[in-house]
Amino acid sequence: MDEKLKIKLSIADRVYPLTVEMSQEEGLRSASKKIDAMIKQFEENYAVRDKQDVLAMCALQFASQVEQKQVNNAIDGSETLQRLKKINDLLFEYLEKK
């Protein structure tokens, strides 16, 4: 069982105190840095007045990346099943000939 750790993450110039598993710390800190980098990029490239708008754009960006990975995995999964079916059919054909 992982030990709990108290950390503080800064996102959009706000500090968020969290109690997390030790195994989660690195991922959370990395995510926090990516969010801040994305905020900076949106602020530099678009005329955004409100942090809420920037955070919504970040959330949409991250959510779309997750969704796209799921779509890609579903596609890859169906292709894998088709390939396995072809291999299975070839094996049955081979075994029937013997």
Side-chain angles (χ1 to χ4, degrees), residues 86-98:
K86 286 181 183 178
I87 291 170
N88 195 36
D89 291 344
L90 288 171
L91 284 171
F92 275 120
E93 286 177 28
Y94 177 77
L95 291 173
E96 286 178 355
K97 291 180 182 177
K98 287 208 160 208

Side-chain angles (χ1 to χ4, degrees), residues 8-16 27-45 51 54-59 61-62:
K8 292 181 181 180
L9 295 180
S10 176
I11 300 172
D13 301 324
R14 281 190 157 177
V15 176
Y16 296 92
L28 288 167
R29 290 195 187 280
S30 175
S32 172
K33 287 178 184 176
K34 286 180 181 179
I35 291 168
D36 276 336
M38 192 177 289
I39 287 170
K40 185 178 179 182
Q41 183 181 17
F42 279 129
E43 287 176 336
E44 289 174 356
N45 294 330
K51 284 282 189 201
V54 176
L55 289 169
M57 292 166 67
C58 288
Q61 183 79 17
F62 280 115

